[in-house]
Amino acid sequence: MIIDTDSGGDDIHALLTAFDLAAKKNIEIIGITCINGNSQIEDGIKNITIVQKIAGVNIPIYKGCDRNLKQKITLSSKFFGDDGLSGHQEKYLKELNIQQYQLQQQHAVDFLIESALKYKEDLVIICLGALTNVACAMMKTAEFEENIGLVIGLCGNVLGLGFMNDGVAEYNVHTDPEAAHLVFKVLAKKLIVIPYEAVISVSEFTITKVFEQDTTIKGKFVKEIYEGMKTANNRYDIQDPLCILAATMPDIITEFVERPCNVILEGEGRGMVSVKWLDKDPQANQVTFILKVDENQLIQTLHNVVG
Amino acid sequence: MIIDTDSGGDDIHALLTAFDLAAKKNIEIIGITCINGNSQIEDGIKNITIVQKIAGVNIPIYKGCDRNLKQKITLSSKFFGDDGLSGHQEKYLKELNIQQYQLQQQHAVDFLIESALKYKEDLVIICLGALTNVACAMMKTAEFEENIGLVIGLCGNVLGLGFMNDGVAEYNVHTDPEAAHLVFKVLAKKLIVIPYEAVISVSEFTITKVFEQDTTIKGKFVKEIYEGMKTANNRYDIQDPLCILAATMPDIITEFVERPCNVILEGEGRGMVSVKWLDKDPQANQVTFILKVDENQLIQTLHNVVG
Amino acid sequence: MIIDTDSGGDDIHALLTAFDLAAKKNIEIIGITCINGNSQIEDGIKNITIVQKIAGVNIPIYKGCDRNLKQKITLSSKFFGDDGLSGHQEKYLKELNIQQYQLQQQHAVDFLIESALKYKEDLVIICLGALTNVACAMMKTAEFEENIGLVIGLCGNVLGLGFMNDGVAEYNVHTDPEAAHLVFKVLAKKLIVIPYEAVISVSEFTITKVFEQDTTIKGKFVKEIYEGMKTANNRYDIQDPLCILAATMPDIITEFVERPCNVILEGEGRGMVSVKWLDKDPQANQVTFILKVDENQLIQTLHNVVG
Amino acid sequence: MIIDTDSGGDDIHALLTAFDLAAKKNIEIIGITCINGNSQIEDGIKNITIVQKIAGVNIPIYKGCDRNLKQKITLSSKFFGDDGLSGHQEKYLKELNIQQYQLQQQHAVDFLIESALKYKEDLVIICLGALTNVACAMMKTAEFEENIGLVIGLCGNVLGLGFMNDGVAEYNVHTDPEAAHLVFKVLAKKLIVIPYEAVISVSEFTITKVFEQDTTIKGKFVKEIYEGMKTANNRYDIQDPLCILAATMPDIITEFVERPCNVILEGEGRGMVSVKWLDKDPQANQVTFILKVDENQLIQTLHNVVG
């Protein structure tokens, strides 16, 4: 398993969750790749080092693409601050006495390709940010898409909901729609996505429960990460951890649908995914969209992570 | 009130409903304009004459636009047959001894403009088909949009659902997206739409109830109209009658939302409406989308229509 | 012959030319229709009345569409001033003692349709502005396109040249690309266009010659019309008169090409015509593009007009 | 200098020309990168090995991207056969006794990035095919575009001419419009292109002269390469060699223009470059378009290459 992350916020919570579940379920995380998004890659590397130290793990980190085919990537710093940790990065770097970062020489895209050739269908790539690194690997060589097992992404929408582009599009697809277009079209049958609608289907009650366990070190750390989002939105959204749960505990998924879809690239709808509800041809390039998860299991698992 | 109809199927049920409610609520229907859609305009004129004779009313009929700015209009004859009455048109023409049709000389577009100037904000236009006639009136003279009261349309979507374009778009918007674009953008504040999601929010139970009353002449007629749809889909959808109810009995509306939106014109999403959920600026051009209606009132009212 | 004009500037020079040539060649001009463009329709009506009085003719004027399917029309007043006569309108209204304007009650679109049905293939429509009126007539009834003879338009480009949209598009197509799309696609075989490249193929020498004859009343009037353009661009372009010459003196055309084409509607290329140079299928919908005219004949004819 | 080639046809003539001129002008060719286009990469490697053996040079070859962000690449095998040498590949492999190919382990994209960091502004990249490798390097790291000197490409159009997409677009841009979009927008000031119009501006007389020198081994080889194009089109076009001449002998350029431009990505104009003729702001991202070269020098130089 490789985790591709956009460097801050709920990604860090997701990493903490992934470290915990991987240990329990005997899943090997062979690397973490990163791109711009919730923060700059540079801050991402710091944030990943912090969460690794807190979790007591040491997984190689790879730097990924720093732009996309049409535009510079816009950071979503309004949710998790400029540092991607709602302003707590510096404090943790000091507390944990972190002075250097073990960044691999190899580029994330090349690590993805090399891993695809090595692990073949056993390779699962978890994408918590824009799909730029995966798309770039697909461009470099067709062997990548032929060899990998699955891509599981927190991205896109099924009903046109999101918080980008006036509420028309989900953040990770909107950040690099051309990359998403390639992945949703070509990798469809190897692609499982947790769309924005699955994220907001989680009830207020559950979310509140998740953030109650703030007496442990890890629990406090998680709550601090989301401070910026709480201030901006007056609520928490747990996007990326949901993706980790769906990837490592498939039985948590209670509802899903398989449909071909299309990423809108032009005009005011840019970044929206249009789902072809009536095209049920199993031969068609159908993406699997997760719609709901078991909220009791969700609470229990996330509590255990920070317990 | 003017009713703009695409000539067949549930439009005819909607007209029957409108005639009944208009009489009860003292609403004057000053004309019926028609375009291609559920059937050809020519069949539409026959179908409208049939339903007028059954209802015992006599309202002027105006022929409208027969193409749009980008393409010939595709008929949806798979639902209501080529004649727009699931094959029952000829039978009714004979039974009711209808030999001629009182089509007005004036073009529908000109009747819309003339009525706008005459009735000004008292004029409500109910659109049961594509928005071509209204858009053409807007093009001919700016006085049309400045003078009219409201346009209430059965068209578009809020969550990307529909049965056109592989399930991406609603039929009436998909049939003339450029016309819809103009109306949704420029007339937004004078526009109330019943999107496809409101149509399918009506429960199976309610739909079954509506079609139970088939012992009366009118009840039998209505059920016959929908035969083609029942065969094609194994279910009934009551689209256009819903629009008449929302227009004539506003208290039936239990949920609605006001948002700016955009009609997607290019690519695989053509005909989809993308709603800007996060743009809540009351100054913006917000369309009113009806989301739900009171199903008990719906059953009761439609029963009375055919009773 | 009907002349559809956007109300100012070289259109007025074109009308003067048309009145002269129609008389000499026994062509009947049955009406002048107008839309926004070089000036507002209201100023257009005044300007057309002025040029009619100067030429001693009296042809019915019809008011046309005042918007298009996507946007309000942008005036190009920088070339011919707000009044469409480089500021000379008021002077001429006074001098010629014009106090009222004989505007017809009928809308331009309806006059076009009525004329199509009456004159059928003998009807030639000369379009000197955006194609909105013609497109609207096509939308209202398919009988229009089936009956008319020819549309000859000053519009579009063959090599991507123009002075709108940063030099990417020609003014008349750019003003209403959706209308142009419909006309270029559906009316292709009945459409002859004088693209922007034909306009700028006329040599500096010829242009200078054309404007030398400024000692007559008409010659002085013509030169005054173009004053604004001379100031803005330091050169004259004679667009619309070229269209009249091509329409009334076909032997002036020395080079033309027939090709299918497409109007670009989205993105930075909006309003450009892309010509399909390699598609030479005579069955395809080919538009005739005039590329060059005989400049000696051009000078001689335009001199005679003002002589 | 790095030469990025799409593996067949005039690319091979261009390489022969480049080897000759580089030697004479003391330019170092540090590598040849290749992508699909005139033939598959695999055939490209064979063809490049053949031309290297004929020219007596030995330059490292790097394999590049094998797809792009939206589609599989379509080969243009109708011009130069499936093998990219009009069917002569096998003969030359045998004659020259070529049994293995010295393909580098490193991917073309990584070689481009490494070279950019090493040679910085001294690095000139000549692109004879689609711009996929360059675009992919730009995506991987912003350091690439910041460090390189120039990209000189045979690609795109200035007047909407080409032989792809019904004659609307030039082949190399049409093959990967998204890549071209990124390069034309972001690298504009470091980009010099030889558009299709420059290619066809070369007179029939000159082309005939170029191919007269077919008595030498190299001359015969060159003529054989173009056999397929001669059969398909009844004429020769020397595209890629022109690019080498412009890059190595700048004084051969007799006419050029600097303008911002845009690659059309959607609709029937896909792959066309729209040039913003009126946007002359020197601060804008202007691409340099070469329009004409000195044909006498062209003949002389290409004769010397095969002499």
Side-chain angles (χ1 to χ4, degrees):
Chain A
M1 192 162 97
I2 297 173
I3 301 177
D4 187 54
T5 157
D6 61 337
S7 305
D10 56 337
D11 289 68
I12 304 304
H13 183 197
L15 286 175
L16 196 67
T17 308
F19 298 154
D20 184 71
L21 290 171
K24 287 171 184 161
K25 313 226 168 223
N26 266 324
I27 298 166
E28 189 190 0
I29 303 175
I30 60 172
I32 298 170
T33 55
C34 50
I35 60 163
N36 293 329
N38 286 326
S39 73
Q40 297 281 3
I41 291 181
E42 275 61 34
D43 281 306
I45 294 163
K46 293 179 184 173
N47 298 337
I48 298 164
T49 308
I50 289 170
V51 73
Q52 291 213 28
K53 199 134 189 183
I54 288 175
V57 300
N58 191 3
I59 298 164
I61 308 173
Y62 301 83
K63 188 174 169 174
C65 295
D66 49 15
R67 64 168 300 139
N68 64 40
L69 262 201
K70 276 196 128 184
Q71 78 230 341
K72 296 242 164 97
I73 291 171
T74 314
L75 299 186
S76 70
S77 50
K78 72 170 176 171
F79 290 121
F80 300 109
D82 285 337
D83 66 356
L85 289 186
S86 296
H88 297 285
Q89 187 194 74
E90 210 175 308
K91 179 184 72 184
Y92 277 101
L93 288 176
K94 198 172 288 178
E95 271 183 23
L96 297 168
N97 195 25
I98 297 173
Q99 271 142 3
Q100 50 191 1
Y101 317 98
Q102 293 187 337
L103 188 64
Q104 303 296 309
Q105 276 295 314
Q106 194 177 26
H107 191 281
V109 168
D110 299 317
F111 174 65
L112 288 175
I113 294 171
E114 188 188 280
S115 304
L117 296 176
K118 186 169 169 194
Y119 297 98
K120 299 191 191 291
E121 60 193 26
D122 291 337
L123 181 66
V124 175
I125 302 170
I126 313 287
C127 292
L128 306 177
L131 298 165
T132 315
N133 284 337
V134 169
C136 196
M138 290 173 74
M139 275 174 82
K140 271 192 83 175
T141 171
E143 291 177 314
F144 173 73
E145 69 196 65
E146 289 156 14
N147 280 279
I148 58 161
L150 279 179
V151 169
I152 305 179
L154 185 289
C155 57
N157 59 267
V158 281
L159 298 172
L161 308 180
F163 60 80
M164 295 301 286
N165 198 7
D166 293 335
V168 156
E170 184 274 339
Y171 177 76
N172 288 336
V173 166
H174 187 260
T175 299
D176 192 350
E178 278 74 24
H181 180 90
L182 180 65
V183 177
F184 277 70
K185 283 286 182 202
V186 178
L187 274 185
K189 291 186 174 181
K190 295 182 171 183
L191 178 65
I192 297 172
V193 306
I194 292 87
Y196 187 66
E197 288 83 356
V199 173
I200 58 176
S201 80
V202 177
S203 70
E204 198 69 31
F205 174 81
T206 297
I207 302 278
T208 311
K209 275 278 180 213
V210 164
F211 286 94
E212 265 176 2
Q213 199 111 344
D214 55 355
T215 51
T216 67
I217 291 176
K218 290 178 183 172
K220 177 169 159 281
F221 174 58
V222 165
K223 202 162 180 180
E224 286 179 341
I225 293 172
Y226 288 85
E227 267 175 21
M229 180 189 270
K230 180 76 174 175
T231 309
N233 270 11
N234 201 26
R235 57 170 294 195
Y236 298 116
D237 264 338
I238 44 166
Q239 314 210 16
D240 296 333
L242 208 59
C243 189
I244 299 295
L245 297 180
T248 56
M249 304 166 52
D251 52 314
I252 205 175
I253 301 165
T254 57
E255 206 180 320
F256 70 93
V257 71
E258 296 170 291
R259 286 290 183 286
C261 64
N262 171 56
V263 177
I264 292 172
L265 300 176
E266 296 284 314
E268 294 185 35
R270 180 165 165 85
M272 180 193 268
V273 179
S274 65
V275 178
K276 302 188 174 183
W277 293 101
L278 297 185
D279 191 343
K280 295 174 192 165
D281 174 12
Q283 303 301 327
N285 282 332
Q286 299 188 326
V287 171
T288 302
F289 293 91
I290 291 172
L291 299 180
K292 274 198 189 337
V293 297
D294 178 332
E295 301 195 12
N296 286 330
Q297 270 197 69
L298 183 152
I299 296 171
Q300 196 53 55
T301 311
L302 292 184
H303 274 191
N304 290 345
V305 167
V306 301
Chain B
M1 191 161 98
I2 297 173
I3 301 179
D4 187 53
T5 157
D6 60 341
S7 305
D10 57 336
D11 290 67
I12 304 304
H13 184 197
L15 287 175
L16 196 68
T17 308
F19 299 153
D20 184 73
L21 290 171
K24 288 173 183 158
K25 312 225 170 224
N26 267 326
I27 297 166
E28 189 190 2
I29 304 175
I30 59 173
I32 298 172
T33 56
C34 50
I35 60 162
N36 292 329
N38 286 327
S39 73
Q40 298 280 3
I41 292 181
E42 274 62 34
D43 281 305
I45 294 164
K46 294 179 184 174
N47 299 337
I48 297 163
T49 308
I50 290 170
V51 72
Q52 293 213 27
K53 199 133 189 184
I54 288 175
V57 302
N58 192 4
I59 298 164
I61 308 173
Y62 301 83
K63 189 174 169 175
C65 295
D66 50 15
R67 64 167 302 140
N68 63 40
L69 260 202
K70 277 197 128 183
Q71 76 229 341
K72 296 241 163 96
I73 291 172
T74 313
L75 299 186
S76 70
S77 51
K78 72 170 176 170
F79 290 123
F80 300 109
D82 285 337
D83 66 356
L85 288 187
S86 296
H88 298 284
Q89 187 194 74
E90 211 175 308
K91 180 184 71 185
Y92 277 103
L93 288 177
K94 198 172 288 178
E95 272 183 21
L96 297 168
N97 195 24
I98 298 174
Q99 272 143 1
Q100 51 189 2
Y101 316 99
Q102 293 187 336
L103 187 65
Q104 303 296 310
Q105 277 295 315
Q106 195 177 26
H107 191 282
V109 168
D110 299 317
F111 173 65
L112 289 174
I113 294 171
E114 188 189 278
S115 303
L117 296 176
K118 185 169 169 193
Y119 297 97
K120 298 191 192 291
E121 61 193 27
D122 291 337
L123 181 66
V124 174
I125 302 170
I126 314 287
C127 292
L128 306 178
L131 299 165
T132 315
N133 284 337
V134 169
C136 196
M138 290 173 74
M139 275 175 83
K140 271 192 84 173
T141 171
E143 291 177 315
F144 173 73
E145 68 196 65
E146 289 158 13
N147 280 281
I148 57 160
L150 278 180
V151 169
I152 305 180
L154 185 289
C155 58
N157 59 267
V158 281
L159 297 172
L161 308 181
F163 61 81
M164 294 303 285
N165 199 4
D166 294 335
V168 156
E170 185 274 337
Y171 177 76
N172 288 336
V173 166
H174 187 259
T175 299
D176 193 350
E178 279 72 23
H181 180 90
L182 181 64
V183 177
F184 277 71
K185 283 286 181 203
V186 177
L187 274 185
K189 292 187 174 180
K190 293 181 172 184
L191 179 64
I192 298 173
V193 304
I194 293 88
Y196 187 66
E197 289 83 356
V199 173
I200 57 174
S201 81
V202 178
S203 70
E204 200 69 29
F205 173 82
T206 297
I207 302 278
T208 311
K209 276 277 182 213
V210 164
F211 286 93
E212 265 175 3
Q213 199 112 345
D214 55 356
T215 51
T216 67
I217 291 176
K218 289 179 184 171
K220 179 169 158 279
F221 175 59
V222 164
K223 202 163 182 180
E224 285 178 340
I225 293 172
Y226 287 85
E227 266 174 23
M229 180 188 269
K230 180 75 174 176
T231 309
N233 269 11
N234 201 25
R235 57 170 293 192
Y236 298 116
D237 263 340
I238 44 166
Q239 312 209 17
D240 295 335
L242 208 59
C243 189
I244 299 295
L245 297 181
T248 56
M249 304 166 51
D251 51 316
I252 204 174
I253 300 164
T254 56
E255 205 180 320
F256 69 93
V257 70
E258 296 170 292
R259 286 289 184 286
C261 65
N262 171 55
V263 177
I264 292 171
L265 300 177
E266 295 283 314
E268 294 185 36
R270 179 164 166 86
M272 181 193 265
V273 179
S274 64
V275 178
K276 303 190 173 181
W277 294 101
L278 297 185
D279 192 341
K280 296 175 192 163
D281 174 11
Q283 302 301 326
N285 281 332
Q286 298 187 327
V287 171
T288 301
F289 293 91
I290 291 172
L291 301 180
K292 274 196 191 336
V293 298
D294 178 332
E295 302 194 12
N296 286 329
Q297 269 196 70
L298 183 152
I299 297 171
Q300 197 53 55
T301 310
L302 292 184
H303 274 190
N304 290 345
V305 166
V306 300
Chain C
M1 191 162 99
I2 298 172
I3 301 177
D4 187 53
T5 156
D6 61 338
S7 305
D10 55 338
D11 290 67
I12 303 304
H13 183 198
L15 286 175
L16 196 67
T17 308
F19 298 154
D20 184 70
L21 290 171
K24 288 173 184 158
K25 312 223 170 227
N26 266 325
I27 298 166
E28 188 190 1
I29 303 174
I30 60 173
I32 298 170
T33 55
C34 50
I35 61 163
N36 293 328
N38 285 327
S39 74
Q40 298 280 3
I41 291 180
E42 275 61 35
D43 281 306
I45 294 163
K46 294 180 185 172
N47 298 338
I48 297 164
T49 308
I50 289 170
V51 72
Q52 291 212 29
K53 198 134 188 184
I54 288 175
V57 300
N58 192 5
I59 297 164
I61 308 173
Y62 300 84
K63 188 174 169 175
C65 295
D66 50 16
R67 64 167 301 140
N68 64 40
L69 261 201
K70 277 196 126 181
Q71 76 230 341
K72 297 242 164 94
I73 291 171
T74 313
L75 299 186
S76 70
S77 51
K78 71 170 176 169
F79 290 122
F80 300 110
D82 285 337
D83 65 357
L85 289 187
S86 295
H88 296 285
Q89 187 195 73
E90 212 176 310
K91 179 183 72 185
Y92 277 102
L93 288 177
K94 198 173 287 175
E95 272 184 21
L96 297 168
N97 195 25
I98 297 173
Q99 271 142 3
Q100 51 191 1
Y101 316 99
Q102 293 187 338
L103 188 64
Q104 303 296 309
Q105 276 295 314
Q106 194 177 27
H107 191 281
V109 168
D110 299 317
F111 174 65
L112 288 175
I113 294 171
E114 188 188 279
S115 304
L117 296 176
K118 186 170 170 194
Y119 297 98
K120 299 192 190 292
E121 60 193 26
D122 291 337
L123 181 66
V124 175
I125 303 170
I126 313 287
C127 292
L128 307 177
L131 298 166
T132 315
N133 285 337
V134 169
C136 197
M138 291 173 73
M139 276 174 82
K140 272 191 84 175
T141 172
E143 292 177 313
F144 173 73
E145 70 197 63
E146 289 156 14
N147 280 280
I148 58 161
L150 280 179
V151 169
I152 304 178
L154 185 289
C155 57
N157 59 268
V158 281
L159 298 172
L161 308 181
F163 60 80
M164 294 302 285
N165 198 6
D166 293 335
V168 155
E170 183 275 338
Y171 177 76
N172 287 336
V173 166
H174 187 259
T175 299
D176 192 350
E178 278 74 24
H181 180 89
L182 181 64
V183 177
F184 277 71
K185 283 285 182 203
V186 178
L187 274 185
K189 291 186 174 182
K190 294 182 172 184
L191 179 64
I192 298 172
V193 305
I194 293 88
Y196 188 65
E197 289 83 356
V199 173
I200 57 175
S201 80
V202 178
S203 70
E204 200 69 30
F205 173 82
T206 297
I207 302 279
T208 310
K209 276 278 180 212
V210 165
F211 286 93
E212 266 177 0
Q213 199 111 343
D214 56 354
T215 51
T216 66
I217 291 176
K218 291 178 183 173
K220 177 168 159 280
F221 175 58
V222 165
K223 202 164 181 178
E224 285 178 341
I225 293 172
Y226 286 86
E227 267 176 22
M229 180 189 270
K230 179 77 174 176
T231 309
N233 270 10
N234 201 26
R235 57 171 291 197
Y236 298 116
D237 264 338
I238 43 166
Q239 314 209 17
D240 296 333
L242 207 58
C243 189
I244 299 295
L245 297 181
T248 56
M249 303 167 51
D251 51 314
I252 204 174
I253 300 166
T254 56
E255 205 180 321
F256 69 93
V257 70
E258 295 170 291
R259 286 290 183 285
C261 64
N262 172 56
V263 177
I264 293 172
L265 300 176
E266 295 284 313
E268 294 186 35
R270 181 165 165 84
M272 181 193 267
V273 178
S274 64
V275 178
K276 301 188 174 184
W277 293 102
L278 298 185
D279 192 343
K280 295 174 192 164
D281 174 13
Q283 302 301 327
N285 283 331
Q286 297 187 326
V287 171
T288 302
F289 293 91
I290 291 172
L291 300 180
K292 275 198 189 339
V293 296
D294 178 332
E295 301 195 12
N296 285 330
Q297 270 196 68
L298 183 150
I299 296 171
Q300 195 53 52
T301 311
L302 292 184
H303 274 191
N304 289 346
V305 166
V306 300
Chain D
M1 190 160 99
I2 296 173
I3 301 178
D4 187 52
T5 156
D6 61 340
S7 305
D10 56 337
D11 290 67
I12 304 303
H13 183 197
L15 286 176
L16 196 69
T17 308
F19 298 152
D20 185 73
L21 290 171
K24 287 172 183 157
K25 312 224 170 224
N26 266 326
I27 297 167
E28 189 189 1
I29 303 175
I30 59 172
I32 298 171
T33 55
C34 50
I35 61 162
N36 293 328
N38 285 328
S39 72
Q40 297 280 3
I41 291 181
E42 275 62 34
D43 281 305
I45 294 164
K46 294 179 184 174
N47 299 338
I48 297 164
T49 308
I50 289 170
V51 73
Q52 293 212 27
K53 199 133 188 184
I54 288 175
V57 301
N58 192 4
I59 298 164
I61 307 173
Y62 300 83
K63 190 174 168 173
C65 296
D66 50 16
R67 65 167 299 140
N68 63 40
L69 260 201
K70 277 197 128 183
Q71 75 228 343
K72 296 241 163 96
I73 291 172
T74 313
L75 299 187
S76 70
S77 50
K78 71 169 178 173
F79 290 122
F80 300 110
D82 286 337
D83 65 357
L85 288 187
S86 296
H88 297 285
Q89 188 194 75
E90 212 174 307
K91 179 183 72 184
Y92 277 103
L93 288 177
K94 199 172 287 177
E95 272 183 21
L96 297 169
N97 195 24
I98 297 173
Q99 271 143 2
Q100 51 190 3
Y101 316 99
Q102 293 187 337
L103 188 65
Q104 303 296 309
Q105 276 296 313
Q106 195 177 26
H107 191 282
V109 168
D110 299 317
F111 174 65
L112 288 175
I113 294 171
E114 189 188 278
S115 303
L117 296 176
K118 187 169 169 193
Y119 297 98
K120 298 190 191 294
E121 61 193 25
D122 291 337
L123 181 66
V124 175
I125 302 170
I126 313 288
C127 291
L128 306 178
L131 298 166
T132 315
N133 284 337
V134 169
C136 196
M138 290 172 74
M139 275 175 82
K140 271 192 84 173
T141 172
E143 291 177 314
F144 173 74
E145 68 196 64
E146 290 157 14
N147 279 280
I148 57 160
L150 278 179
V151 169
I152 305 179
L154 184 289
C155 58
N157 59 267
V158 281
L159 297 173
L161 308 181
F163 61 81
M164 295 303 285
N165 199 4
D166 294 334
V168 155
E170 184 275 336
Y171 177 76
N172 288 335
V173 166
H174 186 259
T175 299
D176 193 350
E178 279 73 23
H181 180 90
L182 181 65
V183 178
F184 277 71
K185 283 286 182 202
V186 177
L187 274 185
K189 292 188 174 180
K190 293 181 173 184
L191 178 65
I192 298 172
V193 304
I194 293 87
Y196 187 66
E197 289 84 356
V199 173
I200 57 174
S201 81
V202 177
S203 69
E204 200 69 29
F205 172 82
T206 297
I207 302 278
T208 310
K209 276 276 181 214
V210 165
F211 286 93
E212 265 176 1
Q213 199 112 343
D214 56 356
T215 51
T216 67
I217 292 176
K218 290 179 183 172
K220 179 170 157 279
F221 175 60
V222 165
K223 202 162 182 180
E224 285 178 341
I225 294 172
Y226 287 86
E227 267 174 23
M229 180 188 269
K230 180 74 176 177
T231 309
N233 270 9
N234 201 25
R235 57 171 291 194
Y236 298 116
D237 263 340
I238 44 167
Q239 313 209 17
D240 296 335
L242 208 59
C243 189
I244 299 295
L245 297 181
T248 56
M249 303 167 50
D251 50 315
I252 204 174
I253 300 165
T254 56
E255 205 180 319
F256 69 93
V257 70
E258 295 169 293
R259 286 290 182 286
C261 64
N262 171 56
V263 177
I264 292 172
L265 300 176
E266 295 284 314
E268 294 186 35
R270 181 165 166 85
M272 182 193 265
V273 178
S274 64
V275 178
K276 303 189 174 183
W277 293 102
L278 297 185
D279 192 342
K280 296 176 192 164
D281 174 11
Q283 302 301 326
N285 281 333
Q286 298 187 325
V287 171
T288 301
F289 293 91
I290 291 172
L291 300 180
K292 274 196 191 337
V293 298
D294 178 331
E295 301 194 12
N296 285 329
Q297 269 196 70
L298 183 152
I299 297 172
Q300 196 53 55
T301 310
L302 292 184
H303 274 189
N304 290 344
V305 166
V306 300

